[in-house]
């Protein structure tokens, strides 16, 4: 009983850390991009990951966690995949309207459910699916304003959905299959995620903004906000891997939509963003969906796995011996997209 209580406290702590750090970095990045005119989201993410790796490396030197070697091919492919997914999300935002971009984010949950059902043989009850539907409906009402379709934007959105879902599923699967912690996986993969974004980030940002990140004039205030953003990102990246490892990719996405509702609320109360009856109704519907999801998941976990402390997810995951990433046994700071989306949506 003590071990189960400790695990549940760990999950609650991970969820709280994820929400607090994510909302904080969205507000910080929104100020950086909207008010201070620093629009280079992809490059900023590469700096986030670099600072995260350096921080974890210092922690390793002080023996705050133990490094566990992982097959290099698995780590490289995993890191590159996560880096590419961030690039696709930024490009999707650049080529699509805010409404279609938000639809892209909403599509991640059903696509994740589909992939886990097909490839991991995970079972989702009707109650859980119904609660997810209510949640997506609420977030859609609160955040989707317009839907403008174009071919290139649609392709980029599909690629963003696919790479994001696979990356988050692998974040959970690798930790469980290889029995490694979120810190160990993040430490191993962060350099590769940072590397691919450091190379491609300036190109993506210049393509989207017609500005050169290296030619930007960096005032002391801008540098201060960049440093603050990078420090908060350490907590964001760590909590992302922690939440996905302790729960599931779908639960992490549900948590992400809770952050969206909180950001809308904080934007109204702190930054005086426009807030309509539609926003309020949507957020309330989304909260009902989150409550139902939490209730059904907890109820079904107790019913089906009363003695299993290894999962607080919404179904029973049937582990297989399927190799990870190219035949070997074997997330990420995406909150920039929220702040960039809010900036583009002119909510300030």
């Amino acid at each position: 009983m003590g071990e189960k209580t400790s695990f549940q406290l760990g999950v609650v702590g991970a969820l709280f850390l994820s929400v607090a750090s994510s909302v904080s970095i969205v507000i910080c990045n929104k100020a950086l991009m909207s008010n201070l005119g620093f629009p280079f989201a992809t490059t900023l993410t590469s700096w986030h990951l670099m600072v995260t790796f350096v921080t974890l490396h210092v922690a390793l030197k002080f023996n705050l966690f133990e490094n566990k070697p992982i097959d290099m091919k698995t780590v490289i492919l995993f890191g590159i995949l996560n880096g590419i997914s961030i690039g696709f999300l930024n490009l999707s935002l650049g080529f699509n309207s805010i409404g279609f971009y938000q639809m892209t984010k909403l599509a991640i949950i059903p696509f994740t459910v589909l992939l886990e059902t097909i490839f991991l043989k995970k079972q989702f009850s009707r109650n859980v699916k119904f609660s997810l539907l209510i949640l997506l409906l609420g977030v859609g009402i609160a955040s989707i304003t317009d839907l403008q379709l174009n071919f290139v934007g649609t392709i980029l959105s599909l690629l963003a959905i696919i790479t994001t879902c696979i990356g988050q599923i692998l974040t959970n699967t690798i930790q469980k299959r290889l029995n490694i912690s979120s810190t160990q996986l993040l430490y191993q993969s962060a350099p590769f995620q940072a590397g691919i974004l450091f190379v491609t980030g300036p190109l993506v940002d210049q393509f989207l903004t017609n500005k050169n990140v290296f030619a930007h004039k960096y005032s002391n205030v801008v540098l201060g906000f960049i440093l603050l953003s990078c420090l908060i990102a350490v907590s964001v990246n760590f909590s992302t891997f922690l939440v996905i490892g302790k729960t599931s990719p779908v639960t992490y996405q549900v948590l992400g939509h809770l952050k969206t509702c909180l950001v809308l609320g904080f934007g109204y109360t702190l930054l005086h963003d426009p807030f309509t009856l539609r926003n309020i109704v949507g957020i309330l519907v989304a909260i009902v969906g989150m409550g139902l999801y939490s209730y059904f998941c907890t109820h079904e976990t107790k019913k089906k796995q009363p003695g299993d402390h290894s999962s607080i997810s919404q179904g029973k995951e049937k582990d297989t011996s399927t190799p990870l990433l190219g035949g070997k046994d074997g997330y990420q700071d995406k909150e920039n997209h929220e702040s960039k989306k809010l900036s583009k949506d002119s909510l300030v």
Side-chain angles (χ1 to χ4, degrees):
M1 179 62 70
E3 182 181 352
K4 182 176 181 180
T5 302
S6 176
F7 176 81
Q8 291 174 339
L9 289 175
V11 172
V12 172
L15 295 174
F16 177 80
L17 177 63
S18 179
V19 170
S21 59
S22 295
V23 172
S24 298
I25 202 171
V26 167
I27 295 174
C28 177
N29 287 350
K30 184 180 179 183
L32 181 61
M33 295 176 185
S34 300
N35 301 334
L36 298 177
F38 186 85
F40 310 106
T42 311
T43 303
L44 181 62
T45 301
S46 71
W47 297 345
H48 287 171
L49 287 162
M50 289 179 186
V51 173
T52 298
F53 173 72
V54 171
T55 303
L56 290 178
H57 189 69
V58 172
L60 180 64
K61 293 298 183 181
F62 283 92
N63 297 317
L64 296 180
F65 73 96
E66 180 182 356
N67 185 29
K68 185 174 182 179
I70 308 174
D71 171 65
M72 188 56 64
K73 185 177 180 180
T74 296
V75 173
I76 291 175
L77 293 177
F78 174 73
I80 291 176
L81 177 65
N82 275 305
I84 290 174
S85 72
I86 296 174
F88 279 138
L89 280 169
N90 273 337
L91 287 171
S92 173
L93 178 58
F95 276 88
N96 292 305
S97 65
I98 293 297
F100 193 80
Y101 173 75
Q102 191 62 33
M103 283 293 295
T104 299
K105 292 180 62 181
L106 293 179
I108 292 175
I109 283 185
F111 196 81
T112 301
V113 170
L114 178 64
L115 289 181
E116 290 194 307
T117 300
I118 294 175
F119 295 104
L120 298 181
K121 308 302 180 185
K122 203 167 185 179
Q123 299 173 1
F124 297 85
S125 69
R126 288 184 178 180
N127 287 336
V128 167
K129 292 177 181 178
F130 174 73
S131 65
L132 291 175
L133 179 62
I134 297 296
L135 165 67
L136 296 178
L137 177 64
V139 176
I141 293 172
S143 58
I144 294 178
T145 55
D146 62 317
L147 287 175
Q148 299 175 9
L149 304 180
N150 66 82
F151 179 74
V152 175
T154 301
I155 296 299
L156 289 171
S157 293
L158 289 174
L159 292 173
I161 292 169
I162 293 170
T163 53
T164 300
C165 290
I166 294 176
Q168 291 182 358
I169 289 173
L170 287 175
T171 300
N172 177 272
T173 305
I174 290 175
Q175 290 184 56
K176 285 183 166 60
R177 297 271 181 90
L178 300 184
N179 193 28
I180 60 176
S181 69
S182 56
T183 308
Q184 292 167 334
L185 179 58
L186 180 58
Y187 177 71
Q188 294 276 350
S189 62
F192 300 102
Q193 296 181 56
I196 190 168
L197 290 176
F198 187 76
V199 173
T200 61
L203 299 176
V204 172
D205 288 334
Q206 185 164 11
F207 180 75
L208 294 176
T209 66
N210 293 320
K211 297 179 181 179
N212 189 333
V213 64
F214 300 111
H216 187 77
K217 293 182 179 181
Y218 293 87
S219 66
N220 290 334
V221 176
V222 169
L223 290 174
F225 269 87
I226 290 175
L227 178 60
L228 178 62
S229 179
C230 289
L231 293 177
I232 299 175
V234 175
S235 178
V236 173
N237 289 323
F238 172 73
S239 62
T240 295
F241 278 64
L242 188 63
V243 169
I244 295 176
K246 284 184 173 293
T247 57
S248 73
V250 173
T251 298
Y252 176 72
Q253 284 298 323
V254 170
L255 190 68
H257 292 307
L258 170 61
K259 298 171 192 174
T260 299
C261 295
L262 289 175
V263 167
L264 289 172
F266 278 116
Y268 171 72
T269 56
L270 300 180
L271 304 176
H272 306 293
D273 290 339
F275 211 61
T276 66
L277 178 62
R278 176 178 173 176
N279 296 132
I280 297 174
V281 171
I283 289 176
L284 291 177
V285 172
I287 290 174
V288 171
M290 293 175 203
L292 290 174
Y293 175 81
S294 178
Y295 172 78
F296 290 137
C297 286
T298 302
H299 179 73
E300 292 174 14
T301 298
K302 289 180 179 179
K303 182 178 179 180
K304 295 181 179 180
Q305 303 177 17
D308 185 6
H309 307 148
S310 64
S311 176
I312 306 295
S313 62
Q314 63 281 5
K316 182 184 292 183
E317 181 174 337
K318 298 179 180 179
D319 201 2
T320 68
S321 59
T322 305
L324 296 173
L325 296 178
K328 298 290 185 180
D329 287 337
Y331 180 84
Q332 184 60 21
D333 177 16
K334 296 183 180 177
E335 310 304 332
N336 287 338
H337 309 119
E338 281 294 336
S339 53
K340 190 174 181 182
K341 174 180 73 68
L342 291 171
S343 174
K344 186 175 177 181
D345 204 17
S346 301
L347 293 179
V348 176

